[in-house]
Amino acid sequence: PRQAARTLWYDRPRYVYLEFCVEDSRDVEVVIEDQRLVFRCKNADGVEFYNEINLYARVNSKDSQQKRSDRSITCFVRKWKEKEAWPRITRENIKPAWLSVDFDNWRDWEGDEEVERAMVEQYAEV
């Protein structure tokens, strides 16, 4: 059985962040292409998760990263056009049931670039 992982996302000037909420993930595979992201993994119970997102706009797949923790897998996807707000993460104007905005991390961009740079550097160090 395969199901979609609950996914949270938020927008920043340079990156779009996606968090796939799967505890104790294994066999994690994230493929970031210019206009698409594919996520798959299994959890400790062997349930397979699969998400495919046709992205709202083009991204720089070479400068995108991911970080796995015990509770989730976070992807920070570099936008091709920086400082251009994404009204949604999907190309199509539909919202899958498994996809939500991460309101805890969503905020105005004013003066946010330094904060964002620090976040990316912190993730990259681990």
Side-chain angles (χ1 to χ4, degrees), residues 17-31:
Y17 295 80
L18 293 107
E19 181 178 12
F20 296 97
C21 303
V22 179
E23 290 191 23
D24 300 323
S25 60
R26 56 189 171 89
D27 303 333
V28 175
E29 184 183 343
V30 177
V31 178

Side-chain angles (χ1 to χ4, degrees), residues 76-92:
F76 22 115
V77 181
R78 183 75 179 251
K79 293 178 177 180
W80 194 258
K81 291 183 179 174
E82 294 183 5
K83 299 180 184 169
E84 212 170 88
W86 285 23
R88 60 185 184 272
I89 192 76
T90 57
R91 186 178 318 141
E92 304 82 19

Side-chain angles (χ1 to χ4, degrees), residues 7-66:
T7 307
L8 300 172
W9 82 280
Y10 60 99
D11 187 32
R12 285 287 191 276
R14 287 194 175 101
Y15 290 87
V16 175
Y17 295 80
L18 293 107
E19 181 178 12
F20 296 97
C21 303
V22 179
E23 290 191 23
D24 300 323
S25 60
R26 56 189 171 89
D27 303 333
V28 175
E29 184 183 343
V30 177
V31 178
I32 300 170
E33 299 171 348
D34 288 350
Q35 299 237 227
R36 186 174 79 123
L37 184 145
V38 176
F39 168 81
R40 63 168 55 93
C41 76
K42 292 180 181 172
N43 68 6
D45 298 328
V47 175
E48 187 178 337
F49 292 90
Y50 178 88
N51 298 58
E52 185 173 332
I53 301 170
N54 291 315
L55 297 167
Y56 174 76
R58 187 171 180 207
V59 299
N60 183 343
S61 56
K62 307 263 186 290
D63 194 22
S64 298
Q65 302 176 47
Q66 72 203 37

Side-chain angles (χ1 to χ4, degrees), residues 47-124:
V47 175
E48 187 178 337
F49 292 90
Y50 178 88
N51 298 58
E52 185 173 332
I53 301 170
N54 291 315
L55 297 167
Y56 174 76
R58 187 171 180 207
V59 299
N60 183 343
S61 56
K62 307 263 186 290
D63 194 22
S64 298
Q65 302 176 47
Q66 72 203 37
K67 179 180 187 295
R68 184 191 163 282
S69 72
D70 291 341
R71 299 173 58 148
S72 64
I73 297 89
T74 303
C75 300
F76 22 115
V77 181
R78 183 75 179 251
K79 293 178 177 180
W80 194 258
K81 291 183 179 174
E82 294 183 5
K83 299 180 184 169
E84 212 170 88
W86 285 23
R88 60 185 184 272
I89 192 76
T90 57
R91 186 178 318 141
E92 304 82 19
N93 194 6
I94 54 165
K95 187 187 147 317
W98 48 264
L99 183 64
S100 304
V101 171
D102 184 347
F103 287 108
D104 290 343
N105 286 302
W106 194 279
R107 64 174 156 275
D108 234 355
W109 285 2
E110 203 60 43
D112 208 28
E113 288 181 49
E114 288 304 313
V115 172
E116 182 183 35
R117 188 174 297 120
M119 281 176 58
V120 171
E121 287 171 3
Q122 172 192 340
Y123 275 121

